[in-house]
Amino acid sequence: MVVVTRIRREVLTLPAARLGADNPLPPLRPLDEVHRIDDRDREEMPRDMARQLGLEPLAGLLPVRVRDGYGRTREPRRVEALVIENDRLRATVLPGLGGRIASLLHLPTGRELLYRNPVFQPANFALNGAWYSGGIEWNIGATGHTTLSCAPLHAARVPAPDGGEMLRLWEWERLRDLPFQVDLWLPEGSDFLYVGARIRNPHERPVATYWWSNIAVPEDVRVLAPAEEAWFFGYERRLRRVPVPSYDGVDRTYPANSPYAADYFYEVPDGRRRWIAALDADGHGLVQTSTDVLRGRKLFVWGAGPGGRRWQQWLTEPGTGGYCEIQAGLARTQLEHVRLEAESEVSWLEAYGPLDAPPGGEWTEAVREVEGRLASALPRTRVEEAYAAWKPCADTEPAQTLAVGSGWGALEVLRADWKLPGTPFPESTLGEAQAPWRELLRTGSLPEPRRVRPPGETLVAPHWRDMLETAPATPHTEYHLGVAQWHAGDRAQAVRSWERALPLAPSLWPLLRCLAVADQEAGHHERAAERYADAFDDLCRERRDDGEVWTAAVAALGREALEALLRARRTAQARALWDRLLPAVRQRGRFRLLHAELLLAEGSRAGARAVFDEDFEVADLREGADVIGRLWARLGDEPLPGRYDFRMRPDPV
């Protein structure tokens, strides 16, 4: 038998915004995640669902950094891609951008099965900021879009179960400290892309884990799944059970029928085949199915309201059609996490391919028809057989490296001497970010920085915190120890570590900023404002140049300091700080918005209004945030202009 599956490199050129430098300030504040619910909703939930809703929800982002250095200026840029194809399907994968499948093309018909975004435009939707829309993304870690959305993954060729080739993607997920892999392959003549996924827990303790495969498809479809009920989550932060397909007299399986952004988590009965499909008016579209471990199915819609339309425009370019998402996950809903036992793993197989079926008409009949067509195109037993065939291949060592991810997995493997067949994390991938932590591991001391620059990333897992506690207590070590202690919930000890470091520290501003955050969290806003002002003064004295790294530090600290000073009503100090910001920083949309707030605090309503009239774009506007609308409301009674309307929920009554 001749296997015709091919894996090749390709370079895409598309309008793309630069990601820019990461925020150098450790994210000490609680996680800003919109998927939280009112406790009263738990009373009517199944017990396992309520339990998983409360299973180790993520409190913060450490050790990951925030990615907020991107803008909204797009220029033609080259993007490395890997293409896997047979004679039926062509999948285009972006290993440097989270391993996303950007395109899934059905070759006989020439139909694109996904929503393929024609631009790369980061927006603030990932847990740590930068995320982009389109394609199939792999969300691991905790509720929300993964911190790896815009990060490189390791990639390699691996022998496939049928003797052909697989494309393997893998990385170390840092929020939960877990390695994972995604294997893609196309059997000869198959209309379905197979995806084998595995998450491993090498630790001697259970870990809460999370997975959702998010599939963007054009929104002019009907979404079908084998369910009569769904858990509805709107941005009012309520989770309630609703009938499918219609409630409140409206068929919600057509994305355009929902007025606001919403999630519909389908309640697929036990024993029923797991699948979800999106079909256009002509009955053409995509179906996703899996082995039963991947339990949940979901529809996400932006809604037909002005806020949803604005977000759709924001994530792509004018004239591009809108999209919705069909999704599949380990739990019923994305608000849950599942328990992964010590030294165990969870794995499953997914399949993606074209499906033709009439989408309209009565719900039960439409679902039955899709289910029958799926059974003919890809029987359930074939998916289970493919999973059984793939499992032994999951440990096969890669044959040829195609892309390289981060060095964090290599550091963890070096520390614990873990054996992870199939997903190598070689020492050769260790880089500058891991170097001081490798030295701590080797010598027991954290080395001092060789040059003046913003401090590097802090590792906060218990084993690293233990090493910091026994290392020589230099100011640099005390800084990192304080961050690790803060993450562990020992805030008083964290403050003591930072305060101990101050008298001898050559660089004060990182410590002062940490102490300012601690003051804010304790409700001491006046003292926080004072410390922020001192920290910004010290940073301005220390800054060596106007390069990307120092500019990122000035922007990050300047924003927090301005917000703290305005909150404490220290308007004159806020103005003085504003005047010291780099001109390029002042021109950013986030700072234009802060300038409007400053002008309003100074009593210049006309000046604040002029900022809005001049137009600005807050590149890192957070999903669900209404900061622009709240400030606009303080300027008068006029309706919020459409270009600033990102509201994802109805106004409170």
Side-chain angles (χ1 to χ4, degrees):
M1 180 178 70
V2 178
V3 178
V4 297
T5 299
R6 298 173 295 276
I7 298 175
R8 58 182 170 83
R9 298 180 186 273
E10 190 172 279
V11 176
L12 308 179
T13 300
L14 68 163
R18 290 185 66 251
L19 275 172
D22 288 354
N23 188 320
L25 307 182
L28 300 177
R29 292 185 175 83
L31 187 67
D32 178 22
E33 221 298 301
V34 299
H35 293 89
R36 302 185 187 279
I37 64 167
D38 194 311
D39 285 341
R40 60 185 165 171
D41 289 340
R42 299 174 190 258
E43 298 174 1
E44 299 180 3
M45 294 176 186
R47 288 185 178 180
D48 63 326
M49 183 176 173
R51 182 176 63 253
Q52 290 181 165
L53 279 165
L55 181 63
E56 298 180 34
L58 202 65
L61 278 174
L62 287 165
V64 176
R65 284 191 161 177
V66 172
R67 310 201 74 173
D68 60 1
Y70 53 87
R72 292 192 54 78
T73 299
R74 295 191 289 268
E75 298 175 352
R77 302 184 193 278
R78 291 163 60 89
V79 179
E80 299 293 328
L82 297 171
V83 175
I84 177 170
E85 64 181 327
N86 62 6
D87 58 340
R88 310 291 295 174
L89 285 176
R90 178 186 300 148
T92 303
V93 182
L94 307 182
L97 294 170
R100 187 172 304 203
I101 300 177
S103 167
L104 186 61
L105 186 68
H106 186 233
L107 297 174
T109 62
R111 289 204 302 266
E112 174 62 62
L113 302 181
L114 306 175
Y115 167 75
R116 182 172 186 171
N117 197 335
V119 306
F120 172 69
Q121 177 55 64
N124 193 1
F125 279 73
L127 287 164
N128 63 331
W131 169 88
Y132 62 106
S133 66
I136 304 172
E137 58 176 309
W138 319 112
N139 287 297
I140 181 173
T143 299
H145 293 281
T146 177
T147 61
L148 296 167
S149 291
C150 293
L153 268 56
H154 301 280
R157 296 178 194 265
V158 183
D162 59 1
E165 289 185 327
M166 288 194 298
L167 173 59
R168 175 164 297 163
L169 306 165
W170 74 98
E171 242 307 351
W172 197 277
E173 200 288 309
R174 301 178 67 202
L175 294 180
R176 299 298 191 184
D177 232 3
L178 300 174
F180 73 98
Q181 72 188 77
V182 175
D183 289 353
L184 313 175
W185 82 100
L186 284 163
E188 181 184 2
S190 174
D191 275 319
F192 285 84
L193 172 70
Y194 289 166
V195 179
R198 174 168 66 168
I199 306 171
R200 290 192 273 203
N201 176 14
H203 302 284
E204 296 178 348
R205 67 182 191 282
V207 176
T209 192
Y210 171 95
W211 182 279
W212 280 81
S213 302
N214 288 15
I215 309 132
V217 293
E219 67 177 352
D220 53 347
V221 294
R222 190 184 198 190
V223 173
L224 299 105
E228 301 293 331
E229 292 183 313
W231 294 92
F232 168 74
F233 178 81
Y235 284 76
E236 306 91 336
R237 301 192 175 184
R238 297 294 310 278
L239 185 66
R240 61 185 185 273
R241 198 191 299 255
V242 299
V244 174
S246 300
Y247 79 93
D248 288 344
V250 177
D251 188 336
R252 309 288 173 154
T253 62
Y254 292 91
N257 287 350
S258 291
Y260 291 94
D263 299 328
Y264 299 89
F265 300 102
Y266 295 114
E267 186 69 78
V268 180
D270 291 342
R272 194 80 178 264
R273 186 176 185 179
R274 309 282 162 170
W275 61 268
I276 190 167
L279 303 176
D280 65 20
D282 294 325
H284 306 310
L286 171 80
V287 65
Q288 185 272 0
T289 187
S290 71
T291 50
D292 289 351
V293 165
L294 207 62
R295 174 180 186 172
R297 292 299 185 274
K298 171 193 162 183
L299 164 64
F300 166 75
V301 299
W302 282 104
R309 296 299 92 194
R310 185 69 181 104
W311 273 118
Q312 294 258 32
Q313 298 164 5
W314 186 255
L315 296 171
T316 183
E317 62 183 8
T320 302
Y323 76 96
C324 63
E325 288 180 359
I326 56 175
Q327 307 181 11
L330 287 175
R332 279 186 181 90
T333 74
Q334 288 176 328
L335 287 72
E336 301 167 70
H337 299 91
V338 299
R339 180 184 173 97
L340 188 57
E341 297 297 340
E343 299 179 331
S344 71
E345 64 180 49
V346 60
S347 61
W348 62 92
L349 185 124
E350 304 179 50
Y352 297 83
L355 190 75
D356 292 337
E362 195 270 328
W363 175 252
T364 303
E365 182 57 34
V367 168
R368 185 182 300 116
E369 183 66 23
V370 171
E371 206 155 36
R373 302 267 182 119
L374 174 60
S376 297
L378 185 67
R380 187 175 188 177
T381 54
R382 193 184 303 169
V383 174
E384 293 166 350
E385 289 166 357
Y387 172 69
W390 166 73
K391 272 293 286 176
C393 300
D395 285 347
T396 303
E397 294 302 324
Q400 179 192 5
T401 298
L402 298 173
V404 178
S406 78
W408 295 113
L411 184 67
E412 292 302 327
V413 168
L414 185 65
R415 179 193 64 80
D417 194 29
W418 278 318
K419 307 302 180 187
L420 300 168
T423 54
F425 294 96
E427 288 190 46
S428 60
T429 60
L430 292 168
E432 184 180 3
Q434 294 83 40
W437 301 97
R438 185 183 190 183
E439 185 71 10
L440 174 64
L441 186 62
R442 189 178 67 86
T443 68
S445 298
L446 193 68
E448 292 294 308
R450 295 181 179 179
R451 63 182 186 274
V452 177
R453 59 180 176 178
E457 298 180 58
T458 302
L459 297 184
V460 297
H463 41 266
W464 292 107
R465 188 174 72 248
D466 290 345
M467 282 186 262
L468 289 170
E469 287 176 344
T470 57
T474 66
H476 185 60
T477 300
E478 294 279 21
Y479 162 79
H480 286 291
L481 175 58
V483 174
Q485 290 166 331
W486 181 272
H487 176 73
D490 192 350
R491 296 189 169 187
Q493 190 58 56
V495 168
R496 283 193 287 270
S497 295
W498 293 325
E499 288 177 339
R500 277 197 307 268
L502 273 175
L504 297 177
S507 181
L508 300 180
W509 66 267
L511 295 160
L512 289 170
R513 182 264 175 178
C514 289
L515 290 167
V517 173
D519 285 335
Q520 284 186 325
E521 292 297 303
H524 304 307
H525 298 293
E526 284 288 337
R527 189 167 66 193
E530 193 65 40
R531 278 181 161 151
Y532 265 123
D534 291 344
F536 192 77
D537 286 344
D538 187 66
L539 172 59
C540 289
R541 285 191 295 268
E542 185 176 283
R543 179 169 59 86
R544 293 297 190 262
D545 55 50
D546 293 346
E548 188 174 64
V549 172
W550 284 106
T551 298
V554 170
L557 185 59
R559 172 183 169 179
E560 289 188 12
L562 272 172
E563 291 171 344
L565 291 167
L566 288 170
R567 182 170 187 172
R569 302 183 188 278
R570 296 191 175 197
T571 308
Q573 278 184 287
R575 171 57 67 181
L577 190 151
W578 169 267
D579 291 339
R580 297 177 69 184
L581 289 171
L582 298 170
V585 172
R586 287 200 298 261
Q587 289 305 307
R588 297 181 184 181
R590 173 65 63 177
F591 286 86
R592 299 284 302 282
L593 183 64
L594 278 171
H595 191 213
E597 187 174 355
L598 173 58
L599 288 164
L600 196 57
E602 291 173 331
S604 178
R605 189 182 300 269
R609 174 59 188 262
V611 173
F612 277 87
D613 292 342
E614 291 166 4
D615 205 1
F616 61 87
E617 292 184 320
V618 181
D620 63 333
L621 188 67
R622 185 68 176 162
E623 174 189 10
D626 57 357
V627 59
I628 296 178
R630 289 201 310 268
L631 186 59
W632 174 264
R634 293 169 59 190
L635 299 178
D637 298 327
E638 292 183 39
L640 182 66
R643 64 186 183 277
Y644 297 126
D645 190 351
F646 294 89
R647 289 172 291 187
M648 299 179 74
R649 58 179 177 266
D651 292 331
V653 293

